[in-house]
Amino acid sequence: MADENTTPTSAAGTAGNVVPQPAGTTTNSNSLAGDDTAPTNIGKFLLNWQNKIEIATDGLDNVNDITKAAWARLAAGINNLTPAENDTTANDEYYDGEGFGTSDVTSKRYQFTVAGHRVYGDKAQDYIASKMLEIGDNLKTLMRVTFADGSQVYGIVTLTNIVPAGGQPGAKQTFSFVAVFNGKPKFVPASANK
């Protein structure tokens, strides 16, 4: 039996892993024990739970000053965030290409697909679900995504493909939507947020 006053170790090393620590032991930011923090990485890989997804529940009311927007975090029940560039390309072949073509990106419609399980009473989910029958500007609002490294993407989005509920009888209800940026979103590098 291990001595209660020793710190458990692993032969493979513990960088980025959760390691149980006895009470009073100094812990690092990757330990759940002692300081009640979740691991932020596994080895050199940042974990996705650190991504922060926010939606403005006041629509376009504060589009010119995002610090005044009524932000609500999308986290409870959410288990997937997938960005897509949605490129439009011009594909051409030229005589000097010897039968091979070229591809140029001429525009993008940057978007995020957000999916998970429906949590009733969650401010962000309730706001998005309430828009399922809307059209036009009623589907536009602000969205901000802060990635695990601290960089941010934000701007006006159109809420599309809203799935406010559904699934099998014995399963958790599904929830998903696609947020498509209107024009070029703003990007803030990680270094500017530190």
Side-chain angles (χ1 to χ4, degrees), residues 85-91 103-110:
E85 293 182 351
N86 218 353
D87 295 337
T88 300
T89 59
N91 300 305
S103 185
D104 293 299
V105 175
T106 59
S107 71
K108 295 178 184 281
R109 284 174 308 287
Y110 196 69

Side-chain angles (χ1 to χ4, degrees), residues 17-19 27-40 49:
N17 296 324
V18 176
V19 178
T27 58
N28 63 35
S29 64
N30 294 324
S31 176
L32 284 174
D35 62 1
D36 292 329
T37 60
T40 57
W49 70 263

